[in-house]
């Protein structure tokens, strides 16, 4: 009999295949005393296991195929760092020596202490770091207890039959290994849209449903299932009618993807001849190739904070210069590089910062505020960026600008760095456009003033929506209020586009809204002609642009913006 199960759909697509369960997540750990003269041997046993676990992870990292989005390797790098971190290694050795216990039990004590720290964190994103601790520790425990994780294909013949993996949770390393086999979808009992499984599955383009409680109990080994990664449904033992329905849907999706590919080299021009620029957001130098493969016309947002994350210490000027130059040389069109946006949802050192945690990190010392407070940090990055500008069309973008004074201070620092570099005889491009991200309501409201002092705007809707509607973007409890179509948000976007265009500067949008095809017509109607998005969305948005008649959309949207009531507003928007 068929069985419908619902979880959270986190990676689009339909898969029809047989279940293969992943076991071995929960390990039985025994605690026993070790004789004093044996303790150093026990410490050695732990060190060996830790080294073996490190070697396993390094091997996984080396197997990541070229062209894979950079965030995938970044997950493994985080685990490599944690596995080598003193807070884990030293405390475990400390427990072995002081409590006179076996390595497994000592490691469990370290794990409990670390997990407790992460669980106390308010920020849901940082709480997901708890999963990292679990994954890293269980890898060492498996080496210590000599229990292999029963990874299909792991060590034996790789999976060849199309498979849906069902697990309590899947480590990033296992996802990478499994994605190179015949795995068509992932279903996990734990996790949410921000979990590692979700992020990695999306990057790899594999359908996934997470948070499906009791999935391992309810689904039988080898039974046929349909996974709908968009709606979060899993249908076990489907009847012929359901199979036919989903096979048809699956065929449509495959065809659709093929059709989209044919747009890759076609221009993004609307049905009535308006030229639109579709660029890509990237996070690591390696992503530039992925952006180009998806037909992006340059890079509209390069988030540089990833260079600072998942590592010990700060990147040097030389290291940053090498990284920026590599991307700048690889990108054919212009590349907009955003200066450091650390703080709030983007922490360094896995969130283990010095000092007390601020009550409202999103309203605290983040992005441009942090850079102006710590000019040396900013100076190192600015010098690297200016040096890289000699290799291509670099534009520099400042995040979280809320006042003219921040803009002026940043530009002054930039001028000082330029003068220094020129004195040192280093090459710097003659003209480097400087732009402000408009992601704080204050900046949108004063955009006419800001526009006089910058070369371009880029609207960061992820933060603009958070700050306008007073909704923490990473707090699941208030996610339901996160609404890009809220009239207040649309008015701020409209105001920014108008102010920019009136001042004769370019206005782009690089928040998630720009890559969501549901909003393309609305944004075109609001006057936006410059979009930057996740590379995977470029072709879908291009199709919507080519199908649109911008002139008509502009007059319709003008009416919507004048709507007298919220109800009128909503119904006009729905009919757009
Ligand atoms: C935004 O806020 O919309 C944005 C693009 O920046 P980030 O998501 O990196 O904060
Ligand atoms: Mg932002």
């Amino acid at each position: 009999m068929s069985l419908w199960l619902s979880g959270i759909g986190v990676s689009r697509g339909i898969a029809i295949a047989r279940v293969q369960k992943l076991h071995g997540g929960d390990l039985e750990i025994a605690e026993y005393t070790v004789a004093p003269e044996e303790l150093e041997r026990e410490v050695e046993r732990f060190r060996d296991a830790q080294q073996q676990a490190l070697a396993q992870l390094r091997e996984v990292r080396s197997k990541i195929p070229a062209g894979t989005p950079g965030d995938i390797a970044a997950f493994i790098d985080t685990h490599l760092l944690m596995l080598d971190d003193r807070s884990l290694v030293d405390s475990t050795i400390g427990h072995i020596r002081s409590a006179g216990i076996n390595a497994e039990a000592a490691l469990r004590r370290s794990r409990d202490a670390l997990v407790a720290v992460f669980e106390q964190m308010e920020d849901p994103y940082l709480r997901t770091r708890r999963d990292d601790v679990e994954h890293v520790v269980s890898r060492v425990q498996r080496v210590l207890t000599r229990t292999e994780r029963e990874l299909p294909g792991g060590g034996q013949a790789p999976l060849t039959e199309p498979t849906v993996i069902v697990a309590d949770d899947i480590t990033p390393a296992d996802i990478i290994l499994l994605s190179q086999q015949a795995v068509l979808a992932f279903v996990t009992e734990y996790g949410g849209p921000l979990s590692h499984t979700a992020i990695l599955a999306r990057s790899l383009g594999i359908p996934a449903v997470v948070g499906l409680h009791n999935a391992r109990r309810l689904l039988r080994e080898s039974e046929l299932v349909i996974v709908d990664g968009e709606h979060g449904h899993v249908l076990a033992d489907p009847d012929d009618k359901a199979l036919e329905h989903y096979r048809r849907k699956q065929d449509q999706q495959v065809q659709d993807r093929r059709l989209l590919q044919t747009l890759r080299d076609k221009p993004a021009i609307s049905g009535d001849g308006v030229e639109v620029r579709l660029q890509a957001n990237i996070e690591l130098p390696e992503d530039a190739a992925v952006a180009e493969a998806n037909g992006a016309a340059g890079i509209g947002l390069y988030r540089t904070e990833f260079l600072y994350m998942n590592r010990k210490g700060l990147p040097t000027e030389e290291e940053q210069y090498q990284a920026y130059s590599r991307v700048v040389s690889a990108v054919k069109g212009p590349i907009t590089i955003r200066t450091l946006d650390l703080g709030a949802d983007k922490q360094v050192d896995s969130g283990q910062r010095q000092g007390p945690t601020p009550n409202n990190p999103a309203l605290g010392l983040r992005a441009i505020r942090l850079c102006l407070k710590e000019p040396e940090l900013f100076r190192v990055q600015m010098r690297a960026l200016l040096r890289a500008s000699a290799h291509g069309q670099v534009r520099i973008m400042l995040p979280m600008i809320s006042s003219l004074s921040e803009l002026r201070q940043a530009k002054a620092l930039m001028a000082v760095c330029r003068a220094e570099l020129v004195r040192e005889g280093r090459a710097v491009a003659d003209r480097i456009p400087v732009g402000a991200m408009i992601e704080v309501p204050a900046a949108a409201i004063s955009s006419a003033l800001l526009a006089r002092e910058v070369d371009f705007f880029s609207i960061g809707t992820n933060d603009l929506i958070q700050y306008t509607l007073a909704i923490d973007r990473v707090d699941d409890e208030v996610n339901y209020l996160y609404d890009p179509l809220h009239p207040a948000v649309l008015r701020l976007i409209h105001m920014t586009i108008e102010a920019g265009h009136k001042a004769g500067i370019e206005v782009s949008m690089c928040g998630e809204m720009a890559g969501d095809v549901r909003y393309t017509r609305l944004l075109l109607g609001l006057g936006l002609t410059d979009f930057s998005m996740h590379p995977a969305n470029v072709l879908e948005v291009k199709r919507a642009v080519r199908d649109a008649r911008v002139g008509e959309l502009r007059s319709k949207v003008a009416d919507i913006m004048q709507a007298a009531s919220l109800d009128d507003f909503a119904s006009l928007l729905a009919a757009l």
Side-chain angles (χ1 to χ4, degrees):
M1 204 179 66
S2 301
L3 175 69
W4 265 102
L5 302 172
S6 275
I8 309 169
V10 291
S11 181
R12 280 197 291 176
I14 288 165
I16 304 174
R18 297 199 176 271
V19 166
Q20 167 97 238
K21 295 190 206 177
L22 264 195
H23 299 285
D26 315 316
L27 284 172
E28 289 283 323
I29 301 294
E31 179 168 326
Y32 52 88
T33 27
V34 174
E37 64 278 13
E38 296 291 327
L39 283 177
E40 284 317 301
R41 200 173 308 159
E42 196 63 11
V43 167
E44 270 320 295
R45 194 166 74 84
F46 168 69
R47 283 194 203 278
D48 279 353
Q50 182 237 1
Q51 289 302 320
Q52 272 189 52
L54 274 172
Q56 289 173 358
L57 272 182
R58 286 195 194 108
E59 195 189 332
V60 172
R61 200 186 186 294
S62 70
K63 285 187 179 158
I64 300 174
T68 309
D71 50 356
I72 293 180
F75 276 107
I76 302 298
D77 288 340
T78 312
H79 284 198
L80 281 166
L81 270 177
M82 273 195 176
L83 196 44
D84 216 12
D85 198 276
R86 293 184 57 176
S87 54
L88 183 72
V89 177
D90 290 1
S91 78
T92 304
I93 293 173
H95 289 310
I96 296 175
R97 287 186 180 138
S98 62
I101 52 173
N102 56 318
E104 294 89 337
L107 179 58
R108 184 176 51 195
R109 289 189 188 187
S110 304
R111 169 235 171 248
D112 291 348
L114 281 170
V115 163
V117 171
F118 281 106
E119 273 181 346
Q120 275 164 15
M121 291 189 175
E122 297 261 332
D123 186 323
Y125 173 77
L126 290 180
R127 259 190 270 134
T128 65
R129 287 302 168 102
R130 174 191 188 283
D131 302 348
D132 289 313
V133 177
E134 297 280 15
H135 291 158
V136 161
V137 166
S138 88
R139 182 170 288 278
V140 185
Q141 292 287 24
R142 268 186 268 145
V143 179
L144 281 169
T145 53
R146 295 169 203 255
T147 33
E148 289 288 321
R149 170 102 164 157
E150 293 169 35
L151 190 63
Q156 309 117 38
L159 282 174
T160 47
E161 288 297 310
T163 300
V164 169
I165 295 290
V166 177
D168 49 350
D169 186 20
I170 313 178
T171 68
D174 287 350
I175 290 185
I176 291 166
L177 292 178
L178 289 166
S179 71
Q180 292 163 21
Q181 304 180 36
V183 170
L184 300 192
F186 293 111
V187 175
T188 64
E189 297 186 349
Y190 303 114
L194 279 179
S195 64
H196 296 155
T197 314
I199 297 171
L200 285 174
R202 276 196 295 272
S203 279
L204 292 163
I206 299 178
V209 174
V210 302
L212 204 161
H213 303 299
N214 296 317
R216 282 177 305 167
R217 195 168 56 76
L218 296 168
L219 297 171
R220 280 173 291 141
E221 194 71 41
S222 303
E223 79 176 321
L224 191 68
V225 289
I226 296 171
V227 178
D228 178 347
E230 181 174 4
H231 301 102
H233 300 312
V234 176
L235 177 58
D237 196 12
D239 59 22
D240 289 347
K241 227 165 116 194
L243 271 176
E244 198 193 324
H245 171 77
Y246 276 100
R247 284 210 173 107
R248 217 174 314 122
K249 248 177 120 166
Q250 203 179 24
D251 284 348
Q252 278 164 2
Q253 285 181 355
V254 171
Q255 279 223 337
D256 196 51
R257 235 170 282 147
R258 245 186 244 138
L259 269 176
L260 273 182
Q261 281 307 322
T262 63
L263 294 182
R264 197 187 159 280
D265 298 315
K266 297 227 165 87
I269 298 182
S270 73
D272 53 350
V274 175
E275 271 187 53
V276 174
R277 188 163 62 159
L278 304 180
Q279 294 188 297
N281 297 348
I282 62 166
E283 295 174 349
L284 289 169
E286 297 82 329
D287 296 342
V290 184
E292 201 189 330
N294 281 281
I299 304 299
L301 166 65
Y302 170 21
R303 291 180 163 100
T304 55
E305 41 287 354
F306 282 80
L307 271 173
Y308 293 73
M309 294 161 90
N310 302 327
R311 60 177 296 148
K312 291 174 182 158
L314 295 168
T316 61
E317 177 184 321
E318 191 56 33
E319 186 183 341
Q320 292 190 57
Y321 164 67
Q322 296 294 345
Y324 303 147
S325 314
R326 197 145 48 91
V327 201
V328 171
S329 320
V331 173
K332 290 200 191 93
I335 164 161
T336 303
I337 310 185
R338 179 175 73 183
T339 59
L340 198 51
D341 183 14
L342 281 185
D345 58 317
K346 308 177 190 79
Q347 300 282 352
V348 278
D349 294 341
S350 314
Q352 299 162 359
R353 277 194 307 165
Q354 300 294 312
T357 312
N359 279 339
N360 293 301
L363 302 181
L365 200 59
R366 60 168 288 209
I368 194 71
R369 301 172 179 183
L370 179 71
C371 288
L372 293 175
K373 176 103 187 296
E374 294 186 25
E376 192 47 32
L377 178 77
F378 202 20
R379 204 179 71 91
V380 170
Q381 180 176 42
M382 195 56 92
R383 282 177 54 97
L385 286 174
L386 293 178
R387 286 173 60 195
S389 73
H391 302 286
Q393 299 175 49
V394 171
R395 295 151 36 110
I396 293 181
M397 178 156 81
L398 307 165
M400 215 197 167
I401 289 289
S402 61
S403 70
L404 265 176
S405 118
E406 285 168 337
L407 195 58
R408 287 177 184 160
Q409 285 179 65
K411 285 173 77 172
L413 187 123
M414 190 172 156
V416 170
C417 292
R418 175 188 281 275
E420 269 173 22
L421 291 167
V422 170
R423 258 200 319 274
E424 290 164 23
R426 297 199 191 261
V428 179
D430 288 339
R431 206 186 115 60
I432 304 171
V434 177
M437 280 198 75
I438 304 295
E439 48 185 353
V440 177
I445 295 166
S446 51
S447 49
L449 296 174
L450 293 172
R452 295 184 198 150
E453 306 202 15
V454 285
D455 300 297
F456 64 93
F457 282 155
S458 187
I459 308 175
T461 48
N462 307 341
D463 279 313
L464 186 61
I465 297 169
Q466 144 165 283
Y467 293 126
T468 306
L469 305 181
I471 297 157
D472 187 339
R473 65 192 259 193
V474 288
D475 186 345
D476 294 343
E477 302 276 354
V478 288
N479 252 348
Y480 72 103
L481 291 169
Y482 198 86
D483 180 14
L485 298 180
H486 192 292
V489 172
L490 296 186
R491 279 186 162 72
L492 292 178
I493 293 174
H494 195 213
M495 199 182 265
T496 306
I497 296 173
E498 299 245 293
H501 287 169
K502 213 172 202 171
I505 64 166
E506 189 187 283
V507 183
S508 168
M509 177 181 285
C510 62
E512 291 293 308
M513 196 176 173
D516 191 328
V517 73
R518 288 173 302 172
Y519 308 130
T520 308
R521 290 166 63 77
L522 169 66
L523 295 172
L524 290 170
L526 284 169
L528 192 77
T529 50
D530 222 306
F531 297 62
S532 189
M533 63 199 75
H534 191 287
N537 299 333
V538 172
L539 292 176
E540 240 182 334
V541 173
K542 191 187 273 189
R543 176 161 62 192
V545 167
R546 290 170 61 88
D547 289 346
R549 302 198 67 84
V550 174
E552 285 166 24
L553 289 172
R554 287 204 179 144
S555 72
K556 281 190 190 163
V557 170
D559 288 343
I560 296 178
M561 299 308 284
Q562 298 305 321
S565 73
L566 277 184
D567 281 349
D568 285 355
F569 191 87
S571 59
L572 284 167
L573 262 183
L576 188 67

